[in-house]
Amino acid sequence: MAAKRLKTSADGLLTASRYTLPTRQCFSRYLTTETTSPTTTIAQAYADAQLASSSTTPILHDRPNIQPPPPRVATPKPTRPTTFTPQSNPFAKTATLTSHAFPSMEPLTHATYPGTHLLCPMRKDILHRAVIYEGDMTRQGTASTKYRSEVHGSNRKIRPQKGTGSARLGDKKSPMLKGGGVAFGPKPRDFSTKLPRKIYDLAWRTALSYRYKQGELICVEDMIELEGVHEHSAPRYLLDMLRHNNMGHANGRTLFITLEERPALFEALEAERMGREAKALEVVDVDVKDLLELGRVVVEREALEWMFVEHEDDLGPKDKLVSWERNQEALLK
């Protein structure tokens, strides 16, 4: 009945109020005071907000102590050099090694090798990994025990289950009895671990570089052999030679590395109390640990170059010893 008394429809009322609402003055009474709100229209407040947001100057508070933040200045990022000069690259240098005569240990000539083989930086982590790898490879892993099923004996129950006042027991092969099996005992196993070949080769050259920088790598031009010395006098002769050159027990044991087995040298070092003075190994039996644990390393020149060629898989084709020697010969020509 109320809708019939209206001259306009409900849609018309909503449309009329939608367009007349922004232009009306909004008077409202605050809840805490008896004053009225400022006589502003919604359209004017909307226009003022649009004008304030479009301006470029920031709107600050009324408090005078607040200052605008300083403008941010973009600092240029440091650039890393992309090229390296030969002076800054230690591998571009060469290492000069003096060759001596044996057993007089007189200097004969000089041998030049690339820095990638004798000037490697010290890497204790790589040396540690190589020594652990070699130690795991040498473990036999032959310890073996028998479990109760592998022990020879009867399966008869030792005593009744109840009535004796003692603990329950099965057969005499029980791990709780003497002569029985071993619970969780060792069995034959392989203790060897894996190490990338490139890391192992780098550890070899790092150990040789450390000996070279310390002045403890002595190169012999010819074979390390006791020639013209009687077999009974060879141990005493070798001992005098070591003490004369400060390479005996007092200055640390000496490691002799030969390309092949030298019978006179190896037999002389097997004499009594000669093991505390020096040690001799063929180049195929040498490990990284052998290069680090003794006082000095006396190596034949051919054996040293064999080690270089055998342990350079981590280098590029141009950095290997054979290619480097060819480049040096081409430069000299």
Side-chain angles (χ1 to χ4, degrees):
M1 298 295 294
K4 294 182 179 180
R5 289 194 293 267
L6 292 177
K7 296 181 179 181
T8 59
S9 61
D11 295 339
L13 290 175
L14 292 175
T15 305
S17 63
R18 184 182 305 171
Y19 291 98
T20 57
L21 182 61
T23 58
R24 295 177 57 188
Q25 293 185 353
C26 299
F27 296 96
S28 61
R29 187 180 300 275
Y30 290 128
L31 297 177
T32 57
T33 61
E34 294 295 331
T35 59
T36 58
S37 61
T39 57
T40 56
T41 61
I42 297 178
Q44 184 179 356
Y46 181 77
D48 294 341
Q50 290 290 336
L51 181 61
S53 62
S54 62
S55 61
T56 57
T57 59
I59 300 176
L60 303 178
H61 297 280
D62 296 337
R63 290 177 293 180
N65 295 332
I66 299 179
Q67 299 295 332
R72 298 180 61 181
V73 180
T75 57
K77 296 182 180 180
T79 58
R80 299 179 61 182
T82 56
T83 58
F84 298 92
T85 59
Q87 291 78 10
S88 62
N89 187 5
F91 301 109
K93 301 178 182 179
T94 58
T96 303
L97 189 62
T98 305
S99 297
H100 300 78
F102 188 83
S104 62
M105 304 306 293
E106 297 179 356
L108 296 179
T109 182
H110 297 280
T112 304
Y113 296 103
T116 53
H117 293 70
L118 284 180
L119 293 179
C120 297
M122 186 59 181
R123 291 290 303 273
K124 293 183 179 180
D125 55 337
I126 294 180
L127 294 177
H128 177 263
R129 293 181 62 181
V131 172
I132 295 300
Y133 165 74
E134 294 171 351
D136 294 340
M137 292 286 290
T138 57
R139 297 187 65 176
Q140 294 182 354
T142 56
S144 179
T145 56
K146 291 183 179 181
Y147 192 56
R148 64 186 304 169
S149 61
E150 300 173 346
V151 177
H152 179 73
S154 175
N155 295 329
R156 182 181 64 86
K157 190 175 177 63
I158 294 179
R159 55 174 175 259
Q161 181 80 356
K162 296 179 178 294
T164 61
S166 300
R168 296 169 291 182
L169 279 178
D171 54 11
K172 65 178 183 179
K173 297 182 292 184
S174 173
M176 295 184 296
L177 299 179
K178 182 180 178 181
V182 179
F184 308 106
K187 291 291 184 179
R189 54 171 294 188
D190 184 13
F191 287 94
S192 62
T193 56
K194 294 183 179 180
L195 184 68
R197 177 61 185 270
K198 293 184 178 181
I199 296 180
Y200 187 60
D201 289 351
L202 180 59
W204 264 83
R205 300 198 314 276
T206 302
L208 291 173
S209 301
Y210 171 74
R211 287 299 191 182
Y212 172 76
K213 295 176 183 178
Q214 296 293 327
E216 299 171 349
L217 182 63
I218 303 174
C219 180
V220 176
E221 184 69 22
D222 298 326
M223 297 185 303
I224 303 178
E225 179 66 323
L226 301 176
E227 297 179 350
V229 182
H230 195 271
E231 59 180 358
H232 298 294
S233 302
R236 183 64 183 177
Y237 180 83
L238 183 59
L239 180 61
D240 293 340
M241 189 274 296
L242 292 174
R243 293 179 177 178
H244 178 72
N245 294 281
N246 297 325
M247 295 189 301
H249 174 71
N251 302 100
R253 298 171 63 196
T254 300
L255 174 63
F256 292 102
I257 302 178
T258 61
L259 185 64
E260 299 176 355
E261 184 179 359
R262 311 301 179 194
L265 177 68
F266 281 60
E267 186 177 355
L269 290 175
E270 291 178 359
E272 185 179 1
R273 300 181 64 85
M274 284 300 296
R276 62 196 299 266
E277 301 291 339
K279 177 182 178 181
L281 292 174
E282 295 185 46
V283 67
V284 294
D285 298 330
V286 179
D287 293 332
V288 175
K289 183 180 179 181
D290 298 327
L291 298 175
L292 298 173
E293 65 178 356
L294 300 185
R296 284 180 176 83
V297 178
V298 180
V299 57
E300 297 178 358
R301 182 173 180 178
E302 294 183 358
L304 180 63
E305 294 179 356
W306 184 91
M307 288 189 289
F308 286 157
V309 175
E310 190 70 16
H311 301 285
E312 56 181 3
D313 287 350
D314 58 320
L315 300 177
K318 296 182 180 180
D319 297 332
K320 294 186 177 181
L321 183 62
V322 177
S323 302
W324 182 83
E325 290 178 350
R326 292 175 182 174
N327 295 335
Q328 293 296 320
E329 293 177 358
L331 293 175
L332 293 176
K333 292 181 180 179

